[in-house]
Amino acid sequence: MKKNLLTLLLAVAVVATASAEWKIAGDKIRTTWAENLDPNNVLPEYPRPQLERNEWMNLNGLWSYAVTDLTAAKPTTFDGQILVPFAIESALSGVQKRVTKDDILWYERTFTLPSSWNGKRVMLNFGAVDWSCDVYLNDILVGNHTGGYAPFSLDITAALTKGEQRLVVRVWDPTDSVHNPVGKQRLNPSGIWYTAVSGIWQTVWLEPVAKTNHIEGITTDCDIVRGELYVDAATANSNGTLQIEVLDGDKSLYTTKVLPGVRATLPIKDAKLWTPDTPHLYTLKLSLIEKGKVVDSANSYAALRQFSVERDAMGHKRMTLNGAPIFMYGPLDQGWWPDGLYTAPTDEALLSDVILTKELGFNTIRKHIKVEPARWYYHCDQQGIIVWQDMPCLALYNGNSKGGM
């Protein structure tokens, strides 16, 4: 009993210390969710709903940060702490500092892997980092990535050591000072242009996978006339067999096996079609089997729906969903938060926007020149919202910081 009480007191002390080290920066508008944000439990939901594993480690939270010039080596001392995954310019980062094309933004934190991960490969995943980054583990460069909106994964197994691991991320973000996709970000925001978003702005997480092979991704398609769902699953290599099961709730409908890289066809009798009024989703369970043993597994979801363009009785072209004309109506959604900028304070906040859009009578959202975290699209799928997705526009670096929309 005394030992449990001591553990509890220590845990409370750690939480109190972390909370004392972080507070919302500045005096800008804040949302209700921001006021209740716990720096020890930031965006705890698994961030990739279409390929979800049970075992993972969330690296969101307080990291050390520093801003240096372009030529500086990794700093030996840091400027303070930043709350990941909120951009350094945001209030929720606890920093609210601007960086330019002449700056390098550094992140550092440590972590220790569970002993149950021994003998497995470890993947380090980033939802998004704006703009260009190099990733180091234990002073070894394990990978890099350019592009502020796409997720990426790195196999960090070879750089792991015993005990504590040290992770460093080096970021360069020129925003609108060079010709790259930035959407509405500007170094000098005014009018319709918004504050820049630099560095890590989506969840960072670790997950173990089998040493030999693992599932890397999944895409789905369907034929509503035939009542068939198609699944294409990618794996790290071509070994093994993929077992794919489709369920309606807890009821198993069909199971099939294919070789990696081969499209799976899953017939669904009396298929329930997805519409804004009936946003029905089917559950997918994927298992990668080698020598009769499941070496990797993941959950996903899919819907049966078909968009097309058809001519009506007057010969006019109309958008149709599942063969029926549909009028898509919805707002132009910027996806900006006064406190988190590109990043919603919580998943509840992210969902609330989608629910409110539906309650106002809309069936569509046009996401304006920004790509959202994967969970936003999942919420749209669940709530019955059609998404028109814009690509982030390019900045025009001709001195006037104006860009097209």
Side-chain angles (χ1 to χ4, degrees):
M1 180 66 180
K2 291 182 178 179
K3 182 178 180 181
N4 290 341
L5 179 60
L6 179 59
T7 302
L8 177 61
L9 291 173
L10 287 172
V12 170
V14 169
V15 171
T17 300
S19 299
E21 293 170 345
W22 172 84
K23 63 179 181 179
I24 300 175
D27 57 359
K28 304 296 183 183
I29 297 173
R30 300 175 187 179
T31 65
T32 302
W33 300 282
E35 296 293 348
N36 299 321
L37 183 62
D38 180 0
N40 303 284
N41 194 33
V42 183
L43 297 173
E45 299 79 14
Y46 190 88
R48 190 183 56 204
Q50 285 202 303
L51 188 65
E52 183 172 353
R53 291 191 171 91
N54 292 326
E55 197 171 9
W56 67 295
M57 179 188 292
N58 195 337
L59 294 185
N60 291 343
L62 289 169
W63 295 44
S64 298
Y65 88 93
V67 178
T68 69
D69 62 48
L70 290 172
T71 60
K74 188 193 84 169
T76 54
T77 59
F78 286 80
D79 299 342
Q81 291 194 307
I82 185 170
L83 191 63
V84 169
F86 300 105
I88 190 171
E89 295 91 349
S90 73
L92 294 185
S93 71
V95 180
Q96 205 175 62
K97 180 184 294 185
R98 192 179 77 168
V99 295
T100 72
K101 66 179 178 62
D102 299 317
D103 297 320
I104 294 295
L105 171 58
W106 297 86
Y107 294 83
E108 182 181 83
R109 68 156 291 163
T110 60
F111 62 88
T112 302
L113 297 177
S115 58
S116 61
W117 292 17
N118 291 344
K120 298 182 179 180
R121 306 201 73 78
V122 177
M123 304 300 298
L124 171 63
N125 306 294
F126 292 84
V129 180
D130 198 353
W131 165 251
S132 179
C133 70
D134 298 311
V135 182
Y136 300 84
L137 185 67
N138 301 320
D139 296 321
I140 299 171
L141 179 64
V142 294
N144 41 54
H145 184 265
T146 298
Y149 301 94
F152 61 98
S153 299
L154 303 171
D155 185 339
I156 61 171
T157 311
L160 294 171
T161 61
K162 290 184 179 180
E164 188 176 72
Q165 317 293 327
R166 186 168 299 277
L167 177 62
V168 173
V169 181
R170 178 186 185 273
V171 181
W172 176 67
D173 182 24
T175 310
D176 61 331
S177 58
V178 301
H179 197 51
N180 61 317
V182 293
K184 297 189 79 168
Q185 299 180 61
R186 294 295 182 270
L187 286 172
N188 296 300
S190 63
I192 66 169
W193 307 112
Y194 297 163
T195 305
V197 173
S198 300
I200 299 170
W201 69 274
Q202 289 188 33
T203 292
V204 186
W205 78 101
L206 297 162
E207 58 191 351
V209 296
K211 210 166 191 178
T212 55
N213 198 5
H214 64 272
I215 303 165
E216 288 190 317
I218 178 177
T219 57
T220 62
D221 199 354
C222 68
D223 186 325
I224 64 170
V225 175
R226 298 171 65 93
E228 292 178 341
L229 176 65
Y230 307 119
V231 178
D232 294 284
T235 56
N237 60 56
S238 59
N239 295 337
T241 302
L242 275 166
Q243 177 176 291
I244 303 171
E245 180 184 13
V246 59
L247 301 93
D248 186 0
D250 294 329
K251 182 182 178 182
S252 179
L253 301 181
Y254 191 81
T255 302
T256 189
K257 292 181 180 180
V258 296
L259 293 179
V262 177
R263 168 169 282 198
T265 299
L266 298 100
I268 300 179
K269 186 178 180 180
D270 301 322
K272 301 172 185 176
L273 303 184
W274 187 99
T275 73
D277 294 327
T278 57
H280 190 79
L281 301 178
Y282 289 94
T283 298
L284 295 173
K285 291 186 177 295
L286 291 79
S287 301
L288 181 58
I289 303 168
E290 290 185 349
K291 298 179 180 179
K293 180 182 178 182
V294 175
V295 297
D296 190 24
S297 60
N299 292 335
S300 187
Y301 72 92
L304 274 79
R305 69 179 187 184
Q306 180 178 303
F307 287 97
S308 59
V309 178
E310 308 289 344
R311 292 190 183 275
D312 64 15
M314 302 294 293
H316 301 299
K317 290 183 177 180
R318 304 293 186 193
M319 287 293 298
T320 65
L321 172 59
N322 303 331
I326 183 170
F327 183 78
M328 300 182 194
Y329 47 104
L332 182 69
D333 189 335
Q334 308 292 327
W336 287 79
W337 299 82
D339 37 36
L341 301 182
Y342 261 8
T343 311
T346 65
D347 192 64
E348 179 188 3
L350 198 66
L351 173 60
S352 72
D353 263 10
V354 177
I355 290 176
L356 180 59
T357 301
K358 194 72 181 292
E359 289 177 343
L360 291 173
F362 298 115
N363 66 5
T364 302
I365 291 175
R366 176 185 165 191
K367 181 55 63 174
H368 189 45
I369 54 179
K370 178 204 176 187
V371 180
E372 287 285 3
R375 289 194 62 84
W376 183 83
Y377 299 94
Y378 170 61
H379 292 320
C380 289
D381 291 340
Q382 275 197 320
Q383 299 299 321
I385 289 289
I386 300 164
V387 177
W388 286 13
Q389 177 63 57
D390 291 355
M391 293 297 294
C393 65
L394 298 176
L396 302 181
Y397 59 103
N398 55 6
N400 58 15
S401 289
K402 294 179 180 179
M405 291 192 293

